[in-house]
Amino acid sequence: MQLTITENAANLYKKEMSLKDGDVLSLFVRVGGIGSGGFSAGVKKGRPDGDYTEVTSGGLVFSVSDEEIWYFDGMTIDFDEDMQELTFDNPKIDNVINPL
């Protein structure tokens, strides 16, 4: 799995979730939204159940369940300082909110 989480994004997670170096987060696919729904990235402390893959950034460990690698493989998670929000970009998926 090729997943990039920038230092800026990792630092935001640390700040917003009161995390310290070595803490583990699970990234997962969230389903929902207005209208017909869509996909987004969820995050929670701890590792997922079952098999998973991990990447480290900014002192944090990010885990993704093998069942959800399809969404995160190729993704870059960054923090846009101008907009003050996380960005999720995956060139393997045309539209990360409504992937084909």
Side-chain angles (χ1 to χ4, degrees), residues 2-100:
Q2 181 64 36
L3 170 62
T4 302
I5 301 158
T6 67
E7 292 278 328
N8 285 342
N11 288 334
L12 180 72
Y13 282 117
K14 281 183 181 178
K15 177 183 170 188
E16 294 295 319
M17 298 178 73
S18 301
L19 302 171
K20 63 186 182 315
D21 286 350
D23 282 345
V24 178
L25 296 175
S26 288
L27 297 174
F28 57 94
V29 179
R30 289 182 52 129
V31 179
I34 298 171
S36 63
F39 294 94
S40 63
V43 62
K44 65 181 178 180
K45 284 185 83 170
R47 288 185 169 90
D49 295 330
D51 296 330
Y52 56 87
T53 301
E54 294 184 331
V55 298
T56 301
S57 177
L60 298 176
V61 179
F62 294 85
S63 301
V64 176
S65 164
D66 286 355
E67 293 176 358
E68 299 191 342
I69 285 177
W70 68 269
Y71 186 74
F72 293 97
D73 186 31
M75 183 174 281
T76 297
I77 301 173
D78 196 5
F79 177 65
D80 183 323
E81 292 187 30
D82 292 333
M83 298 295 290
Q84 291 292 296
E85 66 184 18
L86 288 170
T87 61
F88 300 84
D89 180 54
N90 190 340
K92 292 182 178 184
I93 300 175
D94 289 337
N95 180 342
V96 295
I97 296 171
N98 291 299
L100 297 176

